[in-house]
Amino acid sequence: KSLLSGKIVEFERKYELNGITNWFNYIIEPIKNRSGEIVGCILNGVDITQKKEVELKEIEYHKKISNIYKETQQSLSYASYIQKSIFESNSDLNNFFTEHFILFRSKEKVSGGFYWTHENDKNCLVVLGDCTGHGVPGSLLTTISIVLLERIVKFQHIYSPERILHELNTNFITILNQRKGGIRDGLEMGICLFNKENNTIEFAGAKRSMFLVENNEIREIKGDRSEIGGDGSKTFIKQRIHTEKGT
């Protein structure tokens, strides 16, 4: 129809002969007489086999990349679902803190940062950790850290922040074989033990600080300069703070 209306027609065709595929690009241009009537046409064919092979390889390559990306994103989404399921929910803190909030915004779908809480009688442990790296590597260290916290606190019944950091450091070095030259990754962590009956906070930090707001002034309680992992000879110091109502 396009040719009969006087337009130039361009199309590609594939031919197979003896198992060999060849591609041609055709351009058909109508020939008109002085009255404007179409009296014939000019057919021009060019072998584009090499060009077409490159195009088809690029299409296949992009298709594979797209499939890999899709599978990776689906895997990360499910990994994020698993990771968030082991984090404490906001409602878990309602029994101990009447006013609180959790702000958790990871850079990627899975995170190297985490938080963990545990209540025991009149005490509440709140842990904030930041593992080396982000994304998948960070999330693996996050999972290891939470499993170790579960073991140290719930099964070994260790609640003092500086002792938790010490045990975590020792276990972290062992699991990652850091004494034998394993990976040197680690994490920074702050631990608070809140005692509602005595109005005290016990704090220990591995390269992390705690901030108190009292009388509209912000006070920083600095932790130790050592991080978790890499060296088993580290010591962590506990600081006890007595708080007033409204702190």
Side-chain angles (χ1 to χ4, degrees):
K1 292 182 179 180
S2 298
L3 185 64
L4 294 175
S5 63
K7 296 180 181 180
I8 296 175
V9 177
E10 183 175 4
F11 60 93
E12 297 176 353
R13 284 289 183 271
K14 178 177 72 172
Y15 302 97
E16 292 187 9
L17 181 63
N18 297 326
I20 299 175
T21 302
N22 291 283
W23 287 84
F24 283 85
N25 182 76
Y26 294 103
I27 298 177
I28 304 177
E29 183 178 356
I31 301 173
K32 300 179 181 178
N33 59 19
R34 293 182 179 180
S35 301
E37 297 175 339
I38 298 174
V39 295
C41 64
I42 298 174
L43 175 63
N44 182 30
V46 179
D47 188 338
I48 59 168
T49 303
Q50 188 174 0
K51 177 184 176 182
K52 198 67 179 178
E53 287 176 350
V54 173
E55 289 180 359
L56 292 174
K57 285 181 180 179
E58 288 181 351
I59 291 172
E60 185 65 23
Y61 175 77
H62 286 294
K63 183 179 179 181
K64 288 181 179 179
I65 293 296
S66 178
N67 289 336
I68 292 172
Y69 175 79
K70 183 178 179 181
E71 290 174 1
T72 302
Q73 291 303 308
Q74 289 175 341
S75 179
L76 285 174
S77 294
Y78 192 66
S80 175
Y81 171 76
I82 294 173
Q83 186 183 44
K84 287 182 172 60
S85 70
I86 63 177
F87 289 168
E88 306 295 330
S89 68
N90 204 14
S91 60
D92 292 329
L93 295 173
N94 287 336
N95 295 331
F96 200 88
F97 299 102
T98 55
E99 293 182 285
H100 66 274
F101 67 92
I102 297 174
L103 177 62
F104 181 78
R105 297 178 65 186
S106 58
K107 180 181 178 182
E108 298 180 11
K109 288 186 176 182
V110 288
S111 172
F114 69 95
Y115 55 92
W116 186 83
T117 67
H118 176 70
E119 286 189 50
N120 176 40
D121 298 330
K122 296 178 181 179
N123 296 317
C124 181
L125 269 172
V126 177
V127 179
L128 180 67
D130 185 13
C131 298
T132 301
H134 50 80
V136 174
S139 69
L140 290 175
L141 295 179
T142 292
T143 304
I144 292 173
S145 301
I146 292 178
V147 170
L148 289 177
L149 284 169
E150 293 274 341
R151 178 199 299 176
I152 293 167
V153 176
K154 295 183 179 181
F155 295 98
Q156 295 179 235
H157 304 292
I158 297 174
Y159 304 106
S160 190
E162 85 285 3
R163 289 189 60 200
I164 294 173
L165 290 178
H166 174 75
E167 289 293 323
L168 191 65
N169 184 61
T170 301
N171 283 276
F172 211 83
I173 292 170
T174 301
I175 288 176
L176 297 181
N177 293 315
Q178 292 183 341
R179 290 191 181 92
K180 300 178 182 179
I183 62 172
R184 308 301 292 177
D185 293 317
L187 67 145
E188 301 170 4
M189 180 176 286
I191 302 179
C192 292
L193 178 65
F194 294 90
N195 186 297
K196 186 176 289 186
E197 186 177 58
N198 299 327
N199 289 326
T200 59
I201 304 173
E202 293 182 1
F203 168 75
K207 277 194 172 182
R208 285 291 165 180
S209 297
M210 177 179 69
F211 293 89
L212 293 178
V213 180
E214 297 176 306
N215 300 320
N216 294 322
E217 293 185 358
I218 298 176
R219 181 158 62 103
E220 180 181 4
I221 311 298
K222 292 185 177 181
D224 294 288
R225 299 183 66 179
S226 300
E227 66 178 3
I228 301 295
D231 184 1
S233 62
K234 298 173 184 176
T235 57
F236 301 96
I237 298 174
K238 176 176 67 177
Q239 302 181 63
R240 186 191 297 268
I241 300 99
H242 290 273
T243 61
E244 300 295 333
K245 187 177 181 180
T247 301

